[in-house]
Amino acid sequence: MLSLLKTSRIDILGTLRRSCIRITDTFSEVSAVCNKTLDRRRPCTTPRRLCSGKRYNVPPSAEFVARVSGIATMGKLPYQETADGLDAAFVGVPIDTGTSNRPGTRFGPRQIRAESAMLRAYNSGTRAAPYESLMVADIGDVNVNVYDLKDTCRRIREAYLTILATGCIPLTMGGDHTIAYPILQAVAEKHGPVGLIHVDAHADTSDVVLGEKIGHGTPFRRCVEEGLLDCKRVVQIGLRGTGYSPDAYEWSRAQGFRVVQVEECWFKSLVPLMAAVRTQMGTGPVYLSFDIDALDPAFAPGTGTPEIAGLTSIQGLEIIRGCHGLNLVGCDLVEVSPPYDTTGNTALTAANLLFEMMCVLPKTKYYD
């Protein structure tokens, strides 16, 4: 009787083992078929352009890679340590040492990167295809000195001289607006005096604030003093708010800047304005500096010095898209302060505006 039970047990185990092998073989066959199907559907992460054969960095599509996965880089682009071999690079400058009101912009680059996971590869509005025409990566942050603003400016200038020496166009995530000064020092060293499209609620042309000549309210005053700007090719758009004098923008106009106060922008498209700006800028090198507080706080509350009655996010897009065709040599998006917008929408808006900046760089491909 015991021998019979042992025999039956052996037969049962043998049958189960053979069944498991058959199930495993079937599963392997199904997996192979599925993988082949997915391979046909999965977009290549380094596609070849039909007209060149050059490879480009392409972020993984959220159709196949979850947005919440992976290490946060701008647009989920690859990270590399230098700008070597790049046409454009996203770079963070995480400082708020130059702020005069609410701090927090040192966390701007990190939050912009996190929210940029929503970005996709193509611009549906303009049909721009940056990842089919530009080699782009996230090259991390400048190693700033959070205890010393002047030393931070030195570090920024040196970092941007290195970036620009490679021929790469920097797309900067701020950080407070102080960073525009050392960045433009580096840009002007390479390109000479540049045109400037400055989008902001504030002119940022103060001379001295609380005894200091360097801060987020003074960068463009310092730039003019050092001859970094071609003043006849400077436009400031969206300026508004209370002032320290009856005409807060007198100094800007005296330098030859075109000043477009926000009242000139209310209730209208800015496409005609940007046509005039393109004529003003001509073919020379142009730098675009966009302070998120140019937008009304209803659209971008997460900033340090908000002013009511600002531009809409639509007008922000019109300004950036209106830069298409210009010789852009650098762009920045500054003053995102995540602690003052727990929804993340200010940083999300900033990420989209930075993507739009990339789409208007000189070598970007557009579909008809």
Side-chain angles (χ1 to χ4, degrees):
M1 184 67 175
L2 184 60
S3 176
L4 181 61
L5 288 172
K6 286 182 179 179
T7 302
S8 299
R9 183 182 177 191
I10 290 171
D11 291 342
I12 291 169
L13 289 173
T15 301
L16 287 172
R17 189 176 294 111
R18 287 191 296 273
S19 297
C20 287
I21 291 170
R22 284 196 296 271
I23 292 170
T24 301
D25 290 342
T26 301
F27 180 76
S28 298
E29 291 172 5
V30 171
S31 295
V33 172
C34 289
N35 286 335
K36 288 180 180 178
T37 302
L38 285 174
D39 286 340
R40 286 195 295 270
R41 295 180 59 206
R42 186 178 292 119
C44 179
T45 56
T46 53
R48 292 183 179 275
R49 292 176 67 200
L50 295 177
C51 60
S52 74
K54 181 179 178 182
R55 292 182 178 273
Y56 298 92
N57 292 333
V58 179
S61 170
E63 297 171 291
F64 306 104
V65 179
R67 288 191 174 98
V68 294
S69 66
I71 296 171
T73 59
M74 181 61 189
K76 296 184 79 72
L77 280 162
Y79 165 78
Q80 67 179 58
E81 292 187 356
T82 72
D84 293 342
L86 299 179
D87 297 309
F90 290 101
V91 54
V93 186
I95 72 163
D96 55 13
T97 325
T99 55
S100 59
N101 191 41
R102 305 191 306 200
T105 53
R106 67 178 62 189
F107 304 114
R110 182 171 297 186
Q111 190 66 30
I112 292 169
R113 286 184 173 106
E115 298 296 341
S116 74
M118 271 295 295
L119 298 175
R120 302 171 185 86
Y122 296 92
N123 190 320
S124 299
T126 65
R127 297 178 64 80
Y131 302 128
E132 291 187 19
S133 44
L134 301 172
M135 179 63 80
V136 191
D138 187 328
I139 61 171
D141 294 339
V142 176
N143 182 25
V144 299
N145 182 345
V146 296
Y147 299 108
D148 188 330
L149 184 57
K150 292 182 176 64
D151 183 51
T152 284
C153 287
R154 177 189 63 80
R155 291 172 181 234
I156 295 168
R157 181 176 62 254
E158 291 177 357
Y160 277 75
L161 285 171
T162 301
I163 292 168
L164 292 163
T166 69
C168 175
I169 298 175
L171 299 165
T172 303
M173 300 170 278
D176 72 59
H177 220 155
T178 309
I179 69 175
Y181 168 45
I183 292 173
L184 281 164
Q185 285 180 316
V187 168
E189 184 166 327
K190 179 177 176 64
H191 298 284
V194 296
L196 173 68
I197 299 174
H198 173 208
V199 190
D200 203 324
H202 312 98
D204 293 350
T205 54
S206 295
D207 185 15
V208 178
V209 178
L210 298 177
E212 296 295 330
K213 296 180 79 70
I214 296 178
H216 76 162
T218 68
F220 301 114
R221 183 85 162 226
R222 304 286 85 85
C223 288
V224 170
E225 290 173 347
E226 295 184 18
L228 310 180
L229 302 178
D230 180 357
C231 292
K232 68 181 181 298
R233 295 195 304 121
V234 174
V235 61
Q236 296 183 301
I237 304 172
L239 305 188
R240 64 188 188 277
T242 54
Y244 297 115
S245 65
D247 185 359
Y249 316 119
E250 181 181 8
W251 188 90
S252 291
R253 294 190 182 96
Q255 311 315 306
F257 294 5
R258 178 176 182 177
V259 174
V260 183
Q261 292 183 229
V262 77
E263 288 82 359
E264 300 175 56
C265 304
W266 287 349
F267 313 117
K268 66 178 69 172
S269 167
L270 300 187
V271 170
L273 169 65
M274 291 311 297
V277 168
R278 287 194 299 275
T279 300
Q280 178 188 0
M281 295 298 146
T283 59
V286 178
Y287 187 84
L288 171 61
S289 187
F290 198 118
D291 187 325
I292 200 69
D293 72 21
L295 303 185
D296 189 88
F299 301 99
T303 192
T305 47
E307 304 283 0
I308 68 165
L311 302 175
T312 68
S313 53
I314 294 171
Q315 290 174 316
L317 284 184
E318 287 181 324
I319 292 169
I320 296 173
R321 291 178 180 181
C323 294
H324 183 219
L326 294 178
N327 181 19
L328 287 172
V329 295
C331 307
D332 67 50
L333 191 294
V334 298
E335 297 287 357
V336 172
S337 181
Y340 292 95
D341 183 4
T342 56
T343 69
N345 286 339
T346 304
L348 176 64
T349 300
N352 277 273
L353 295 178
L354 282 157
F355 178 81
E356 294 281 344
M357 292 175 186
M358 176 175 60
C359 289
V360 296
L361 294 183
K363 292 166 58 178
T364 303
K365 173 181 175 180
Y366 280 73
Y367 280 94
D368 295 331

